Amino acid sequence: MCEICEVWTAEDLYPCRVCTRVFHDGCLREMGYLRNDSVQELTETAHTSMGWSCYYCDNINLLLTEEEMYSLMETFKQCKIIPESCLGSDDFLSYKHFVSRQLFDEQMTEEMEELELGQFSALDPEKRGQIEWADFLYHESIRVLEKFRSQNSLVRLLTAKERERARASFTALDQDKDGLITGGESKKAQHTWFRKHTKESQSCNVRLVGLCSPVLNFSISHVGPISESSPASSGSGKSRDQDENRQVDWLEFLKENAIYILAARPNSGAVHLRPPL
Ligand SMILES: [Zn+2]
Ligand SMILES: [Zn+2]
């Protein structure tokens, strides 16, 4: 039954990939929830493995409590961030410097700055040199959740559909069926939740399926030799190996991936929380 008009029609109802709601595209348009370009996105993705998020689930800012929201807005104000306007990489970095000093009482290192610049480009998939207000807001909202909520409470935010998808990924990784996978496999999974609708994927559906199905990605990475990225700093090589080889069960997998599953909810092409490489 359509969430908006409450009428059930067998055809042309579009499901949300996160919650159980379904919608008519006409009703969404009438209510102003869809702009013209997002109508096309809806009809192209909702019935594919990529899926589409409804307006409740797309807006991850709604996951914050009133208090969290208030303090985020205060920080924006103090840093002279103007709501509804785009941000360049300079604005983004100076905001990050401010937050680092103000909230964590530490100076950002060059390495941290590099990471934030990487996050900026992940928020700017079309490489326009600036990021949309909504993408910035969603990114900062996810950061708030990451910093101030426990992993258990993040897991509780996942919907049945999200848990189901995570379960399928875990099962595909656990090839010997002993209920355990490696830390490396769990980390790699963090990248697979982001199923983005890009210009490229529009023109090539085959590639889209390959890119967007976590199960398929896993089976590919299992076949070929797994190319481990070279350890960035030689000193951490051993602990990195330990981390890669540690055993991870289903609950631990869910905890390590929950924040990225939530970050992957918005339909926008931006990646709102870049997993560690
Ligand atoms: Zn309807
Ligand atoms: Zn939804």
Side-chain angles (χ1 to χ4, degrees):
M1 192 169 80
C2 171
E3 183 71 20
I4 297 169
C5 69
E6 301 189 342
V7 170
W8 189 85
T9 45
E11 72 275 13
D12 67 22
L13 272 172
Y14 293 97
C16 171
R17 62 183 169 188
V18 179
C19 68
T20 54
R21 298 180 181 97
V22 293
F23 302 85
H24 291 118
D25 55 336
C27 289
L28 286 167
R29 215 170 338 177
E30 220 166 279
M31 296 295 290
Y33 292 130
L34 279 184
R35 294 188 317 268
N36 277 340
D37 51 335
S38 34
V39 173
Q40 194 194 359
E41 192 178 289
L42 165 74
T43 53
E44 277 178 9
T45 60
H47 290 301
T48 67
S49 65
M50 178 156 59
W52 163 86
S53 295
C54 76
Y55 49 89
Y56 293 112
C57 301
D58 182 84
N59 187 349
I60 46 182
N61 182 238
L62 297 176
L63 295 172
L64 301 191
T65 62
E66 226 169 280
E67 226 167 52
E68 287 168 335
M69 190 59 206
Y70 178 78
S71 87
L72 184 61
M73 286 304 154
E74 277 302 299
T75 317
F76 286 167
K77 218 188 282 169
Q78 285 170 21
C79 206
K80 304 203 169 39
I81 297 280
I82 305 158
E84 306 300 331
S85 57
C86 296
L87 282 90
S89 60
D90 286 350
D91 308 321
F92 186 76
L93 262 194
S94 70
Y95 177 79
K96 294 294 184 182
H97 274 286
F98 177 85
V99 169
S100 181
R101 277 195 312 268
Q102 198 80 356
L103 294 183
F104 307 108
D105 204 23
E106 61 176 14
Q107 211 64 30
M108 264 169 70
T109 61
E110 230 169 273
E111 199 182 335
M112 289 156 87
E113 212 172 83
E114 279 300 309
L115 286 175
E116 294 298 359
L117 282 175
Q119 176 62 66
F120 181 85
S121 3
L123 288 167
D124 177 25
E126 285 170 31
K127 305 292 160 239
R128 294 181 308 132
Q130 54 179 15
I131 54 179
E132 296 291 328
W133 165 252
D135 290 326
F136 176 68
L137 179 64
Y138 291 176
H139 163 66
E140 288 304 328
S141 305
I142 267 293
R143 276 279 166 91
V144 168
L145 295 178
E146 187 188 31
K147 294 271 183 240
F148 301 110
R149 303 266 185 105
S150 69
Q151 281 187 320
N152 279 325
S153 75
L154 293 177
V155 168
R156 281 196 295 273
L157 290 177
L158 300 178
T159 64
K161 278 188 186 177
E162 286 172 320
R163 290 179 74 108
E164 228 168 80
R165 206 175 301 133
R167 185 73 208 179
S169 297
F170 183 83
T171 310
L173 284 167
D174 180 21
Q175 293 198 322
D176 57 2
K177 306 284 165 241
D178 64 350
L180 295 167
I181 62 169
T182 67
E185 286 168 331
S186 176
K187 286 261 157 68
K188 226 173 265 169
Q190 293 173 344
H191 294 264
T192 60
W193 314 114
F194 298 93
R195 297 174 296 175
K196 296 300 183 183
H197 192 239
T198 60
K199 294 244 154 59
E200 226 171 297
S201 61
Q202 277 169 30
S203 58
C204 181
N205 279 315
V206 180
R207 232 187 114 195
L208 178 138
V209 172
L211 279 176
C212 299
S213 152
V215 178
L216 209 75
N217 275 348
F218 287 142
S219 49
I220 290 167
S221 67
H222 270 289
V223 175
I226 298 167
S227 62
E228 298 298 343
S229 47
S230 58
S233 50
S234 49
S236 66
K238 198 170 177 197
S239 64
R240 195 193 169 100
D241 275 357
Q242 273 171 358
D243 186 57
E244 293 270 323
N245 295 324
R246 85 202 135 89
Q247 301 215 298
V248 173
D249 64 9
W250 159 239
L251 208 65
E252 188 59 27
F253 174 79
L254 211 49
K255 284 188 195 171
E256 288 182 7
N257 281 275
I259 190 77
Y260 299 103
I261 296 175
L262 294 170
R265 281 185 182 180
N267 295 307
S268 139
V271 171
H272 296 95
L273 187 67
R274 200 173 68 134
L277 298 172

